[in-house]
Amino acid sequence: MHYRLLVRPRRGRPCGSLVLTKELALRRGTGPLHIVEIRDFYTHGRLVANHRAFIGHEITGSGVYEARVTLPIPRQAPPGRYEVVSLLYARWGQGSPTLIARARTRFTVAP
């Protein structure tokens, strides 16, 4: 499995936006697969926002998955370095969720 996050540009300003690209290469079986993506946003070691998305319906078989998400930078976002940590949890059938991948990237918010 391969999972990677990229953010472009690497520097933004409040009221602007960045583009987060997610790349996932996955081999999966034919049974039902539920995948949850949890993205946490940190600055100065503190969690400042998070997002949860169910993406299993977008992954219909083995192969490469790529998606781009626009990340707006709130007007009140303090300047500094930020880190995005994305966790993918999968659940096959009625089993318990299992962490299958983790990726991270960083960007800067300028004053």
Side-chain angles (χ1 to χ4, degrees):
M1 172 179 307
H2 165 79
Y3 185 46
R4 183 168 78 155
L5 296 178
L6 303 167
V7 66
R8 297 288 182 254
R10 307 268 306 161
R11 186 176 183 88
R13 295 188 179 278
C15 298
S17 63
L18 307 169
V19 176
L20 179 68
T21 301
K22 304 178 290 181
E23 298 174 355
L24 172 65
L26 175 71
R27 185 179 316 172
R28 59 162 289 185
T30 57
L33 176 62
H34 306 280
I35 298 179
V36 175
E37 175 192 27
I38 299 173
R39 282 193 313 262
D40 292 330
F41 296 82
Y42 295 91
T43 186
H44 306 293
R46 214 177 61 237
L47 179 67
V48 292
N50 66 357
H51 177 77
R52 176 183 295 240
F54 297 92
I55 62 172
H57 65 282
E58 299 174 22
I59 302 170
T60 58
S62 295
V64 177
Y65 165 79
E66 182 176 300
R68 287 182 179 78
V69 178
T70 301
L71 298 176
I73 302 172
R75 178 181 21 219
Q76 69 275 17
R81 293 179 54 102
Y82 287 75
E83 181 175 42
V84 181
V85 177
S86 180
L87 305 173
L88 295 182
Y89 287 90
R91 182 170 54 88
W92 291 266
Q94 298 301 316
S96 298
T98 302
L99 179 65
I100 61 169
R102 174 190 304 244
R104 64 182 64 220
T105 190
R106 294 187 174 120
F107 64 91
T108 302
V109 172

